[in-house]
Amino acid sequence: MVLMNLWYVPYGIVRLLRMAAHPENYTLEERYALIKQIDNRAIKGGRVEIEGHGLENLPREDGYILYPNHQGMFDVLAILQLMKRPTSVVLKKELENIPFLKQVIACLGALPIDRKDPRQGMKVILQVTKEVMEGKNFIIFAEGTRSRNGNELLDFKGGSFKCAVKSKCPIVPVALVDSYKAFDTGSIAKTKVQVHFLEPIYFDEYEKMKTTEIAALVKERIEACIRQCTDTQHTDAQM
């Protein structure tokens, strides 16, 4: 991925550092366009094919939250590659000071969350709620950490859905298939990653549900999609 983009790296890094140092001098759209450009270069250089499904399911109006399963570090790159409108992410606090990622976080307006600090976590929930109500889109990984078992999911945490409940926004389940193969297998073979945007769940559908029930529902829909995809892959391989 790096070798294929050596010519682009100096240009991309300079622009990224400049925007991240003073994000207030650029619109969200300008910052997002740069991140998308870097993302596209990384995906092409890494020989990863992103296969998107269900883009028509994304709400027409901004101000919604995407809830994907979490397979690895490539997940956000795969989703952002398909998102035409600015989308941010809630990510673990341990990533906020890593070089390059720190600048990406600044440009996206991403929000680091400390999973060990409930008070800080509540501040992030309230901030996400505020920004979603103002029309910003977010990605939240409800498992809290990545699964180490490929396309198998961990339990979805009910607390991850407090932002949606408070903002009364659409919830978009996102099923990632084989995303772990891009960064987490050590292979440089050409890889295909599937991103499935499932039908949104609107507030009137979940307003009377507990957050744990919402979490279980979203997980169930993602698991069903992944199961269908992997069953199809196995059938095709046997033919």
Side-chain angles (χ1 to χ4, degrees):
M1 186 176 291
V2 175
L3 290 175
M4 290 289 289
N5 287 290
L6 280 178
W7 65 271
Y8 176 80
V9 169
Y11 167 78
I13 287 180
V14 169
R15 289 196 65 201
L16 180 63
L17 292 175
R18 184 182 300 136
M19 283 194 178
H22 298 285
E24 69 280 1
N25 293 339
Y26 303 88
T27 66
L28 177 59
E29 287 73 21
E30 288 173 327
R31 288 181 271 129
Y32 188 68
L34 174 62
I35 298 302
K36 284 269 290 183
Q37 185 181 79
I38 293 173
D39 186 15
N40 291 337
R41 298 302 315 178
I43 289 171
K44 185 175 181 180
R47 303 177 69 217
V48 182
E49 178 186 348
I50 308 297
E51 191 177 273
H53 302 268
L55 283 163
E56 69 279 2
N57 288 326
L58 292 173
R60 293 184 178 181
E61 294 186 7
D62 290 327
Y64 55 84
I65 302 178
L66 303 168
Y67 284 95
N69 54 306
H70 196 9
Q71 296 192 357
M73 294 180 65
F74 190 75
D75 299 346
V76 174
L77 298 182
I79 295 171
L80 291 184
Q81 205 266 348
L82 296 169
M83 297 296 294
K84 295 180 179 180
R85 301 192 299 247
T87 304
S88 192
V89 60
V90 175
L91 72 174
K92 60 183 181 180
K93 188 176 178 65
E94 291 85 346
L95 299 176
E96 69 174 336
N97 291 316
I98 296 178
F100 180 71
L101 276 178
K102 180 178 180 180
Q103 284 72 37
V104 171
I105 289 170
C107 285
L108 286 179
L111 298 174
I113 188 168
D114 187 344
R115 294 172 293 182
K116 298 178 182 178
D117 186 345
R119 182 175 296 181
Q120 190 270 352
M122 180 53 67
K123 288 182 180 179
V124 172
I125 288 173
L126 294 175
Q127 184 63 31
V128 171
T129 300
K130 176 178 178 292
E131 294 188 24
V132 169
M133 292 178 71
E134 292 172 350
K136 193 170 182 180
N137 308 319
F138 270 90
I139 299 168
I140 296 180
F141 294 103
E143 289 163 285
T145 188
R146 60 182 172 174
S147 169
R148 300 287 180 174
N149 296 312
N151 290 314
E152 295 182 19
L153 276 62
L154 302 175
D155 287 336
F156 277 32
K157 301 181 184 301
S160 301
F161 293 86
K162 289 182 179 179
C163 305
V165 173
K166 288 180 179 294
S167 63
K168 302 181 181 181
C169 74
I171 291 171
V172 183
V174 182
L176 296 171
V177 182
D178 294 337
S179 181
Y180 70 96
K181 293 181 179 180
F183 281 168
D184 295 58
T185 61
S187 172
I188 59 172
K190 188 175 181 179
T191 302
K192 178 186 290 186
V193 174
Q194 296 181 46
V195 182
H196 297 260
F197 298 96
L198 308 183
E199 290 187 8
I201 307 171
Y202 290 95
F203 182 67
D204 60 355
E205 299 175 61
Y206 69 79
E207 64 175 320
K208 296 181 181 179
M209 298 172 66
K210 297 178 181 178
T211 54
T212 51
E213 294 173 331
I214 300 171
L217 174 63
V218 172
K219 179 187 177 185
E220 179 184 341
R221 293 189 180 185
I222 293 174
E223 280 185 321
C225 179
I226 293 176
R227 187 162 52 247
Q228 182 178 7
C229 293
T230 53
D231 287 348
T232 300
Q233 288 176 344
H234 292 156
T235 300
D236 292 343
Q238 293 172 355
M239 293 178 65

